[in-house]
Amino acid sequence: MCPAETQAAARHWQRIAMHIRLGLEPDEPRLLCAYHHQGERLIAAYGHPAFATHERMLRLLLDTAEDTLLPVCWRMTCLNAASRPLARLGPLLADDEQAERLHTLSARLAQFTLRPVDRAEP
């Protein structure tokens, strides 16, 4: 693949990430599928490192889920989507450093709570 094509694909992935992180389309859960698909495409077609790509996806989804300024429904959608990159990371572990980073991310996911002040009033 040519460098321009690779850069265009990476920019597209980053634009999707920005929309997710900022909650620009909270009623569009397909955005998360597009983000995951584009990340997989970067790995398969353009040679992006698999562990780093899935780790970045997981971090984005966790950061978004923890952001109390975003709508609760979007945060929960992102939290649910975090299982995809998390599942991909385990088989990709290559060293103790990656294992520690995965452990830290897994702990963030396991300790996530929707605090009472975050919940919408009935």
Side-chain angles (χ1 to χ4, degrees), residues 1-76:
M1 297 290 163
C2 72
E5 207 175 311
T6 303
Q7 289 176 348
R11 278 195 309 273
H12 178 63
W13 188 56
Q14 291 166 348
R15 271 192 307 277
I16 297 170
M18 182 181 64
H19 278 254
I20 291 169
R21 183 62 187 91
L22 297 175
L24 297 178
E25 300 178 54
D27 295 327
E28 189 52 71
R30 292 178 294 180
L31 196 58
L32 299 168
C33 292
Y35 181 61
H36 182 77
H37 175 75
Q38 186 66 16
E40 290 286 348
R41 185 169 172 246
L42 287 172
I43 294 165
Y46 299 104
H48 277 232
F51 188 89
T53 302
H54 289 293
E55 180 183 26
R56 187 170 175 182
M57 286 191 273
L58 180 56
R59 284 184 189 281
L60 174 93
L61 294 169
L62 289 174
D63 290 346
T64 304
E66 292 170 343
D67 189 342
T68 59
L69 296 177
L70 295 174
V72 172
C73 63
W74 183 243
R75 293 172 58 207
M76 295 299 97

Side-chain angles (χ1 to χ4, degrees), residues 62 66 79 103-115:
L62 289 174
E66 292 170 343
L79 185 66
H103 176 73
T104 300
L105 290 168
S106 298
R108 271 181 73 188
L109 183 59
Q111 295 170 1
F112 180 86
T113 58
L114 186 63
R115 296 173 297 197

